[in-house]
Amino acid sequence: MARPEQVLLLEPQHELRFRGPFTDVVTTTLKLANPTDRSVCFKVKTTAPRRYCVRPNSGVIDAGTSINVSVMLQPFDYDPNEKSKHKFMVQSLLAPPDMTDTEGVWKDAKPEDLMDSKLRCVFEMPAENEKTHEMESNKISSSLSKSESSTLSMKSMPSSLDDGEVKKIMEECKRLQMEVQRLREENKQIREDDGLRMRKSTVMSAPHSSPAVRVKEEGLSARVIALIVLFFVVGVIVGKLAL
C-alpha cells in the first residue's frame, strides 16, 4: 500500500545547500509549514548524523503554523566524492486528537500513516577567482575608505583655524614669494651688469671695482637666504596649525 502524500510544505523542497569553505559550522534553514487543520508530528533524519546538528530534530507543528529547523553542518575536510552520500528525510504523521505522548504516537503509528520527504545535500565551494575578487574588492573598499577619510580630514582642517589668522599667514607667504622672486631678478640683473662692466674695465680698475661688487652680491645673497629661511619657518607654522 502506497504511503500518503506529505502534508507538510517544505522550503526548500528538494535540497539543502551548504556553502564552503567548511572550516567552520555552516548553517542552513529548513522551513516546515502545516497547512492542515490538524496538528502534525515530524522528525528530521539524516544519513550522516555525526556530521550534522539539527535543532529541533522532532516535534509537533500546530494547525496553520510553521517552524524553522536549523541544520548545522560541522567542520570537515571537503571531499567532492562525498557530496552525494548525505541525504535528509522529513518524516511526519497526523497527530491524534487525544495525543498526550509524542513518542508513543510514533511507536503506535502504522506504516501507512507515515509520510516522508527526501532532500539531498549540495556542497558549494567558492571558486578561486571569486575568492580573489572578494579579496581585491575588500582592498579597494579599504583604500577608498581611507582616501575618503583623508579628504574629509583635509577639508575639515581650515574650519578648525581662525579665519583671520589663516588669511594673514597666506598673505605673508604670498608677499615673501614675490619678494624672493624680485630679489632673484635683481641678482640676475646685477650679475649681467657686472659682467658688462668687467668687459669694459681696464686691468687697473678691476681691483677697485671687484670688492664693491662682491660686497653688494654678498649682501644680496644674505637677504635672499634670510627670506628663504623665513618662508620655510612660515610654512612649518602653517603645517603645524593644519595638524
Side-chain angles (χ1 to χ4, degrees), residues 24-141:
D24 201 354
V25 176
V26 181
T27 303
T28 189
T29 301
L30 172 64
K31 183 179 180 181
L32 304 179
N34 178 13
T36 70
D37 56 358
R38 293 179 57 180
S39 295
V40 176
C41 300
F42 76 93
K43 282 186 178 182
V44 180
K45 300 179 179 180
T46 177
T47 56
R50 294 183 180 181
R51 289 288 180 87
Y52 299 89
C53 180
V54 182
R55 294 290 182 273
N57 59 359
S58 64
V60 179
I61 306 176
D62 294 331
T65 63
S66 62
I67 189 172
N68 288 330
V69 177
S70 296
V71 182
M72 293 164 277
L73 174 62
Q74 303 304 301
F76 73 105
D77 294 329
Y78 176 68
D79 181 4
N81 298 322
E82 193 178 8
K83 62 183 179 180
S84 60
K85 297 180 182 179
H86 296 192
K87 294 182 176 61
F88 274 81
M89 182 176 69
V90 177
Q91 201 171 41
S92 63
L93 62 84
L94 294 173
D98 56 348
M99 182 183 66
T100 56
D101 179 17
T102 307
E103 288 301 320
V105 171
W106 284 105
K107 288 179 181 180
D108 298 337
K110 298 177 181 179
E112 58 269 22
D113 295 333
L114 299 177
M115 299 167 283
D116 59 62
S117 298
K118 294 180 177 63
L119 299 94
R120 67 188 186 94
C121 296
V122 177
F123 299 151
E124 297 178 342
M125 284 294 288
E128 290 300 323
N129 58 346
E130 289 181 8
K131 289 182 182 178
T132 304
H133 179 69
E134 284 183 13
M135 291 174 65
E136 291 178 353
S137 298
N138 292 336
K139 288 181 181 178
I140 293 172
S141 299

